[in-house]
Amino acid sequence: MTHQPLRLHYAPDNASLCIRLACELLDIPYQTVLVDRASRAQDSAAYRALNPAGLIPVLETDDGPVFETAAILIWLANRYPGQLMPAPATTGEAAALSWLLWLANTLHPTLRMTFYPAQYMPDAPDDFRAAMQRRLSSHLHLLDRHATTLHPVHHCYLAPMLRWTSLYGDNAGWFTLTDYPRLHDLARQCEVSAHARRAAQAEGLGDTPFSAPRLANPPEGSAT
């Protein structure tokens, strides 16, 4: 059976970066389609036909469009078993899925609440952000204790989130990645890999995108 190239609908330094990292790690052919956030292309009828929620990313596949970062990563892991995480029905799969869904359901939402507090508590966004920063710190300390058990699929999701935590959310010194030594090591190891360097170059993320990030300077599109 001939498979059509995957099409990744992306915006620079968005959650689509997690999927780009996975595709580069797998060394599989894929095409990218810019979602122009400046013009709110994610709200267009054409994009909503792919992802009714209007969120980035979407991966177009032979099975149809797949949206939600964790769902796309699971789809890729199943299509290329044993490369991103333990293959289905093998030892280690349950733990790998547990941590992947924890990243999607616990860590990622906490980041969003930290970055956009007014969306969740309009009357007291600063107090809410401070509470989310404390919650995020607790999550990261937990993850730091288990970092050595994580698989490449988790690295693809987590490294960008560590980057965003350093850059966004009214960072007034409350977050320092070196306070989480295993996560700091993970970030450094990820960014020196060939697949991460390719992804960083494609999105203008610089040489230390995860351990010491700076704002993106992408060749096309906008991160915000």
Side-chain angles (χ1 to χ4, degrees):
M1 179 179 179
T2 301
H3 295 295
Q4 297 298 315
L6 302 173
R7 285 166 52 89
L8 173 62
H9 294 256
Y10 89 105
D13 207 13
N14 279 236
S16 48
L17 175 59
C18 308
I19 309 306
R20 187 191 288 272
L21 285 168
C23 290
E24 291 290 346
L25 189 155
L26 292 168
D27 196 23
I28 56 177
Y30 71 101
Q31 302 168 350
T32 56
V33 182
L34 177 67
V35 181
D36 183 12
R37 291 191 60 179
S39 64
R40 299 295 301 177
Q42 66 269 33
D43 293 331
S44 68
Y47 191 78
R48 292 278 181 154
L50 299 173
N51 181 353
L55 299 175
I56 303 167
V58 168
L59 187 69
E60 289 191 74
T61 77
D62 291 340
D63 296 334
V66 187
F67 57 90
E68 290 294 320
T69 303
I72 299 171
L73 290 172
I74 291 170
W75 186 93
L76 288 168
N78 289 339
R79 180 60 67 96
Y80 301 94
Q83 297 188 53
L84 290 176
M85 58 180 278
T90 64
T91 301
E93 183 205 13
L97 285 173
S98 295
W99 279 115
L100 181 58
L101 271 295
W102 184 87
L103 292 175
N105 294 341
T106 301
L107 186 62
H108 201 166
T110 304
L111 286 181
R112 290 190 57 83
M113 288 185 281
T114 303
F115 299 160
Y116 310 111
Q119 293 183 8
Y120 300 90
M121 185 174 284
D123 295 335
D126 291 339
D127 291 345
F128 184 76
R129 172 176 279 153
M132 290 303 100
Q133 288 173 343
R134 292 191 294 272
R135 182 177 180 182
L136 181 57
S137 179
S138 176
H139 291 340
L140 292 175
H141 278 298
L142 171 65
L143 195 58
D144 190 66
R145 294 195 295 271
H146 295 273
T148 58
T149 69
L150 301 180
H151 295 277
V153 71
H154 307 117
H155 301 172
C156 292
Y157 204 160
L158 176 58
M161 289 198 283
L162 295 175
R163 168 184 172 78
W164 304 328
T165 306
S166 295
L167 290 176
Y168 305 116
D170 189 31
N171 186 5
W174 73 274
F175 173 76
T176 303
L177 183 56
T178 53
D179 290 342
Y180 311 89
R182 296 178 186 86
L183 297 182
H184 183 242
D185 287 346
L186 185 155
R188 293 178 64 186
Q189 292 168 15
C190 182
E191 69 194 9
V192 300
S193 64
H195 73 276
R197 287 189 178 277
R198 292 192 298 269
Q201 182 177 12
E203 301 200 8
L205 306 183
D207 294 332
T208 56
F210 307 127
S211 68
R214 61 178 185 265
L215 293 175
N217 183 24
E220 65 172 1
S222 170
T224 57

